[in-house]
Amino acid sequence: MASQNRCGRRVRELDVNVLLFLLGLVSLLQAAKVSQLIERVSDHKDFKKLLRTRTNVLVLYTKSATSTEPQLKLLSDVAQAVKGQGTIAWVNCGDSEGRKLCKKLKVDPSSKKHGYDISHFKDGTFHTEYTRPATFKSMVAFLKDPTGAPLWEENPDAKDVFHIETEKEFRKLVKREERPILMMFYAPWCGVCKRMQPIFQQAATETKGKYVLAGMNVHPAEFDGLKQEYKVKGYPTFCYFEKGKFLHHYENYGATAKDIAEWLKNPQPPQPKTPEVPWSESDSAVFHLTDDTFDSFMERHSSVLLMFYAPWCGHCKKMKPEFDEAAEILNKDPDSPGVLAALDATVHKSVGERFKISGFPTIKFFEKGEEKYTLPHIRTKDKIVEWLQNPQAPPPPEQSWEEKQSSVIHLGAEEFREALKKKKHSLVMFYAPWCPHCKNTIPHFTTAADIFKEDRKIAYAAVDCTKGQNGELCKQEGVEGYPTFNYYNYGKFGDKYSGDRGEAGFTGFMRSLRGQDQEKAGKRKEEL
């Protein structure tokens, strides 16, 4: 009988051991399953090889194979989403080989609250501890742009903003929410959006409970239909909803949190903008040309002073009355030395492109149908009439900032972002060539750029907002006056620079950033 009892106990013990073994095996199989897309590393040489051959690596250190299965599953999904752009690696500090590697790297995930640690390596070296939320969206965004700014919803100060990811979520909110909604449609790269986000989130906190302030990144192409529906033609666009219906746009881009809160108490549609007053052809002595009439007009008139203009151009508006009065004086003269003509180059683009018009106004003199001079110095009626009576070649133009040799990088809209992505720290001066404050600042900014010309991680850059497509870029980057200075980190907007505009201010700003870099590098060496 005793023998039978002992035998029964042994069978039960065997069953328990078998069960524990099977459970352990299932756990290991699950771990293997979720880590198929993850690089498993346990040897220091393999680890170094991984960093040498991959440029963008997120490393998960765990205290065991089974304690962090949810994280491994999450990172498997992340690895799939960033395939070809980033790499996920896993070091299990719980097995014998992994323990040696973790000890060598001075990593101890068991000391962490959740039993795991995550680090990022860029271009073969340690970049940063991963401290952003351990969510699919945040991790994918991080690996696609490790030096970029965190997502808006990751900002603790934006906790009262309702963050929306999908069109389905948006429709559901608008349909079911009883409170009024102010929706901010934005793009992550938009400078004006970044400037307004802190204001919007403060307004969300101040009006919490009464209104819903929501944000949605609608830049991806999948939201093109939504953008068309709500007339989102630029970023940010604010839309106001009540009881499921869209009522108004909100267009105060210089608003404070208080302004937004006050508007929500009595929401009104934006005031109609003052329409552009066209240059009246019937009331003007100036001949107005088109793509179709240009050549025949030049054949009929031997001396023509032509103003290429844009209806929205402030300097053109200022010059129009001078040009009109000069035309009247010349038309009354029986021995008039020439005629004045104008062409809207934003409408009649063929002629504008033929003569490479890139700024407004541009004044050109034509003799017998051939372009002879460009006259940047003639702006008043007296100068116009005087010059036509004795046409002379204009003085040689002053060399532009862009033409002068310096260490400042001059950028246009097309190459702006790609160029800044290559630099860790960039200070960009948005300017207009005619701006007196810009002219005073240029020598100091140029000197600062020359001082840091050997540092490959630093750029002092400039954008002429009056040139070509740069006007739209400047608007996107929040430029409202000249000069405006923006700081960028690997191409991502960081902050407005409002320091001293002398050499000391520009150089001191950059030295403080490099000092922070050195301090972080020192800490990383200690950790490794």
Side-chain angles (χ1 to χ4, degrees):
M1 188 72 175
S3 175
Q4 287 179 346
N5 289 337
R6 283 195 301 273
C7 187
R9 280 197 302 274
R10 284 173 186 162
V11 169
R12 285 194 296 274
E13 288 170 0
L14 182 62
D15 288 343
V16 170
N17 289 334
V18 169
L19 180 60
L20 290 172
F21 171 77
L22 290 174
L23 287 172
L25 183 61
V26 168
S27 296
L28 288 172
L29 287 172
Q30 286 176 335
K33 181 180 179 181
V34 299
S35 62
Q36 284 177 350
L37 297 170
I38 297 175
E39 297 275 355
R40 177 74 184 271
V41 186
S42 57
D43 180 77
H44 191 247
K45 288 183 180 178
D46 292 340
F47 186 78
K48 289 175 74 175
K49 181 181 177 182
L50 176 70
L51 299 186
R52 192 170 60 250
T53 56
R54 309 292 175 85
T55 60
N56 182 20
V57 184
L58 195 67
V59 182
L60 171 70
Y61 306 93
T62 66
K63 65 179 182 181
S64 70
T66 58
S67 62
T68 50
E69 286 178 15
Q71 282 69 40
L72 287 168
K73 178 64 175 71
L74 167 65
L75 286 170
S76 292
D77 295 337
V78 172
Q80 180 65 50
V82 300
K83 197 173 181 181
Q85 295 174 276
T87 301
I88 306 290
W90 173 35
V91 179
N92 175 17
C93 299
D95 63 28
S96 57
E97 289 299 316
R99 193 177 300 115
K100 292 177 185 176
L101 176 57
C102 291
K103 188 175 181 181
K104 194 153 192 171
L105 297 174
K106 298 181 180 178
V107 176
D108 182 14
S110 62
S111 65
K112 302 291 183 179
K113 181 180 178 182
H114 301 291
Y116 65 87
D117 199 1
I118 305 176
S119 296
H120 182 257
F121 292 81
K122 186 175 182 293
D123 298 326
T125 60
F126 175 83
H127 171 230
T128 185
E129 294 287 338
Y130 181 83
T131 56
R132 289 167 63 171
T135 64
F136 175 80
K137 185 177 180 182
S138 290
M139 286 182 156
V140 169
F142 174 81
L143 276 169
K144 287 187 175 181
D145 188 4
T147 59
L151 300 174
W152 190 12
E153 51 264 45
E154 293 177 29
N155 185 343
D157 293 333
K159 65 183 185 304
D160 296 320
V161 174
F162 197 100
H163 299 280
I164 296 174
E165 294 186 30
T166 66
E167 185 172 342
K168 185 178 180 181
E169 285 182 29
F170 166 74
R171 303 285 183 195
K172 184 178 178 181
L173 174 69
V174 170
K175 184 178 180 180
R176 298 185 181 181
E177 181 57 56
E178 292 294 324
R179 294 167 294 177
I181 302 168
L182 184 61
M183 173 69 60
M184 178 178 174
F185 293 115
Y186 69 95
W189 47 261
C190 157
V192 179
C193 304
K194 292 173 183 176
R195 179 168 53 80
M196 290 208 70
Q197 281 174 353
I199 296 165
F200 193 75
Q201 63 200 32
Q202 184 182 343
T205 299
E206 292 178 3
T207 61
K208 187 178 179 180
K210 295 180 181 178
Y211 307 95
V212 171
L213 272 66
M216 184 177 183
N217 170 19
V218 293
H219 181 60
E222 64 188 276
F223 300 118
D224 284 351
L226 197 66
K227 286 182 279 189
Q228 186 174 1
E229 181 178 352
Y230 293 104
K231 298 180 180 178
V232 180
K233 297 178 181 178
Y235 303 115
T237 293
F238 297 91
C239 294
Y240 177 77
F241 298 83
E242 276 186 12
K243 297 179 180 178
K245 293 183 179 180
F246 166 63
L247 297 183
H248 313 305
H249 282 108
Y250 178 70
E251 295 184 353
N252 184 2
Y253 299 107
T256 64
K258 185 179 179 182
D259 291 333
I260 294 174
E262 286 297 318
W263 184 85
L264 285 169
K265 292 176 183 177
N266 183 28
Q268 297 294 319
Q271 296 299 312
K273 295 179 180 178
T274 304
E276 293 286 352
V277 179
W279 195 344
S280 174
E281 296 184 32
S282 59
D283 299 334
S284 172
V286 174
F287 292 93
H288 290 268
L289 308 183
T290 68
D291 282 338
D292 295 330
T293 63
F294 178 83
D295 290 319
S296 59
F297 182 86
M298 289 298 173
E299 287 176 6
R300 297 196 306 272
H301 297 85
S302 59
S303 297
V304 181
L305 195 63
L306 176 61
M307 174 178 169
F308 293 91
Y309 73 97
W312 44 260
C313 159
H315 293 287
C316 302
K317 292 175 184 177
K318 187 175 179 180
M319 190 174 173
K320 280 179 187 179
E322 299 286 338
F323 216 63
D324 275 331
E325 289 183 34
E328 288 178 10
I329 293 170
L330 291 167
N331 287 355
K332 291 176 183 177
D333 184 357
D335 299 317
S336 175
V339 296
L340 302 189
L343 184 140
D344 181 352
T346 66
V347 174
H348 307 290
K349 296 180 180 179
S350 177
V351 174
E353 288 172 1
R354 192 199 308 181
F355 294 101
K356 297 181 173 61
I357 304 303
S358 60
F360 304 107
T362 295
I363 313 298
K364 288 185 178 291
F365 178 66
F366 292 82
E367 191 171 65
K368 296 179 181 179
E370 297 292 327
E371 177 189 356
K372 194 166 185 182
Y373 302 128
T374 299
L375 307 167
H377 63 297
I378 294 178
R379 289 290 184 267
T380 65
K381 65 177 181 181
D382 294 335
K383 290 288 184 184
I384 292 168
V385 174
E386 180 185 331
W387 189 88
L388 265 177
Q389 289 172 341
N390 183 28
Q392 298 288 325
E398 182 184 345
Q399 197 175 25
S400 69
W401 185 19
E402 194 167 348
E403 292 170 332
K404 294 176 182 176
Q405 189 171 359
S406 78
S407 302
V408 174
I409 304 170
H410 291 272
L411 302 175
E414 293 181 358
E415 69 271 20
F416 180 80
R417 301 200 185 282
E418 287 303 316
L420 295 189
K421 281 180 182 178
K422 299 174 183 176
K423 303 292 181 178
K424 186 170 186 179
H425 304 298
S426 300
L427 187 60
V428 181
M429 177 176 167
F430 297 89
Y431 74 101
W434 47 260
C435 157
H437 296 297
C438 303
K439 291 177 181 177
N440 292 336
T441 305
I442 284 172
H444 305 296
F445 195 79
T446 303
T447 301
D450 289 338
I451 290 172
F452 285 92
K453 65 182 178 182
E454 301 299 330
D455 194 324
R456 295 182 179 180
K457 293 188 175 182
I458 286 176
Y460 285 81
V463 175
D464 179 354
C465 294
T466 67
K467 190 175 180 181
Q469 301 298 316
N470 292 358
E472 186 60 33
L473 168 67
C474 295
K475 192 183 297 182
Q476 290 175 358
E477 298 306 305
V479 177
E480 297 177 345
Y482 304 121
T484 290
F485 300 90
N486 285 357
Y487 165 68
Y488 297 84
N489 178 256
Y490 287 115
K492 294 293 182 180
F493 174 81
D495 203 357
K496 294 280 184 186
Y497 172 82
S498 56
D500 179 71
R501 293 182 181 180
E503 176 192 329
F506 294 133
T507 56
F509 174 75
M510 205 60 78
R511 284 194 179 103
S512 68
L513 292 172
R514 296 304 277 136
Q516 292 171 21
D517 292 344
Q518 291 170 4
E519 186 178 336
K520 289 178 183 176
K523 288 181 179 179
R524 288 199 296 268
K525 285 181 180 178
E526 291 177 7
E527 291 171 355
L528 292 173

